[in-house]
Amino acid sequence: MPYDLATNFTGLKFVNPFVLASAPPTESKQKILRAFEAGWGGVVTKTIGMHPVENVAGPKTIFQRVSETKPYVSRNKRPDTVSHSSWNWELISDQPLDQWLPDLEEIKTTYPDRMLIGSIMAGAGGEEEMDHWRKLAKACVNAGCDALELNMSCPHMDRKDMGAHIANDEDIIRQILAAVTGAVDVPIWVKLTPSSSSLVDGARAAYEAGAASISLCNTFPSLPLMDPETLKFEVEVDGLVTSGGLGGLAILHQALQRVSDISRAFPDKAISGIGGIKGFREAFNFIAHGAGNLQICTAAMEEKGSGGIGVNLIQDLTTDLADYLQRKGYSSIEEFRGIARERVVEHSKVRRKSEGYNGGYAQSA
């Protein structure tokens, strides 16, 4: 049976469903052009904002590895270890909007068949910040972006009206989407923080307000390890540390849970799956739980010699997907997308040793 790696996601045709996530791999024109040359179907730019950005005076990202010998998890490089996670406290792009715009135009002109998604972020709480969202949206779309991803998930913000701080407020989500959808006519993806007890409610508010897709998951708020001998954190500045984002394989299962939650609540809506994808097996699971698009960061950054854009990774992903489609007789990922959805149930629906279990509820008299 003929198969096609191309996917239609939020009305956009991707040559394949694999996208570099908004992160260091997409922080510059040079990296994005190299990513498209390598074969990625799309990129989400590093988040573009209006406010000044200055990163910490030290390492911004570390990669943690695990072994069977002590220490089990550490950033220390040592033999016979495998990737555990990434940890970062990196902020959004420090490249101003005016510098991004000609770069976006050149990228889209050079690779017109690849999807360029602009990640943008501003604040909330007033019309001035809504105007910032509108300005960013209009500028990026006019420069060639095929879609926008609204960053409501960054865990590193001091400002309480930005990033992950606002993803629990449904009124703010609606307000921002009203501003952006009123300013531009392209698909709007909303990247919500996974660290929310009201994630489904936030997604509902976003979809109802015009979001074409929800992107899940950004990194989880976390802290790096402290060495018990030196009493130093594995990443610190002047002995101090603050909350950072945990990504990579360590968040895979949590990310799948979040995607499953949204997919089961809104089976007809689009989801861009992110979190711990290192190869086709992980990508398959996101698709099986309902994602129609896969975003990748840590695995691309870890690839040696690629400049952090996953040159070999995208070849492996597309080759393995093609092989799977051919072996299984599928024409596209749509034929198996969501196949796990109905098999995720409440605890009481899983067979027990006896037939009398009812979820732990007290029996009425």
Side-chain angles (χ1 to χ4, degrees), residues 47-51 92 119-137 149-154 157 159-164 166 172 176 179-180:
T47 300
I48 305 168
M50 299 290 292
H51 59 294
I92 69 172
S119 174
I120 60 174
M121 182 173 72
E127 198 56 30
E128 181 181 3
E129 289 298 335
M130 294 305 106
D131 283 339
H132 288 166
W133 284 103
R134 294 184 188 100
K135 179 177 180 178
L136 289 165
E149 184 175 85
L150 311 186
N151 185 337
M152 301 185 194
S153 62
C154 181
M157 307 307 298
R159 283 181 55 170
K160 302 306 180 185
D161 66 335
M162 281 186 163
I166 65 176
I172 291 178
I176 293 171
V180 174

Side-chain angles (χ1 to χ4, degrees), residues 47-92:
T47 300
I48 305 168
M50 299 290 292
H51 59 294
V53 170
E54 185 171 345
N55 268 298
V56 297
K60 294 179 290 185
T61 302
I62 62 172
F63 298 97
Q64 300 172 116
R65 302 183 67 79
V66 65
S67 70
E68 294 182 356
T69 58
K70 296 179 180 179
Y72 298 110
V73 179
S74 174
R75 70 172 294 185
N76 294 332
K77 294 181 179 179
R78 54 209 195 279
D80 302 321
T81 57
V82 296
S83 172
H84 173 275
S85 58
S86 62
W87 186 93
N88 83 89
W89 53 6
E90 180 161 335
L91 298 176
I92 69 172

Side-chain angles (χ1 to χ4, degrees), residues 203-238:
R204 178 180 292 106
Y207 283 134
E208 290 177 350
S213 174
I214 301 297
S215 298
L216 288 167
C217 290
N218 200 339
T219 53
F220 284 74
S222 60
L223 290 171
L225 293 171
M226 176 183 278
D227 187 297
E229 301 301 324
T230 66
L231 301 186
K232 291 185 177 182
F233 289 104
E234 289 205 325
V235 57
E236 61 178 38
V237 175
D238 302 328

Side-chain angles (χ1 to χ4, degrees), residues 17 20 40 53 71 86 99 106 118 124 128 130 138 170 208 242 261 300 306 317 322 327 333 340-341 355:
L20 278 179
W40 290 92
V53 170
S86 62
Q99 187 176 338
E106 182 177 341
E128 181 181 3
M130 294 305 106
K138 289 178 181 178
E170 296 168 38
E208 290 177 350
T242 188
D261 289 345
S306 75
L317 287 166
R327 287 189 295 104
I333 67 169
R341 187 183 293 133
E355 297 180 0

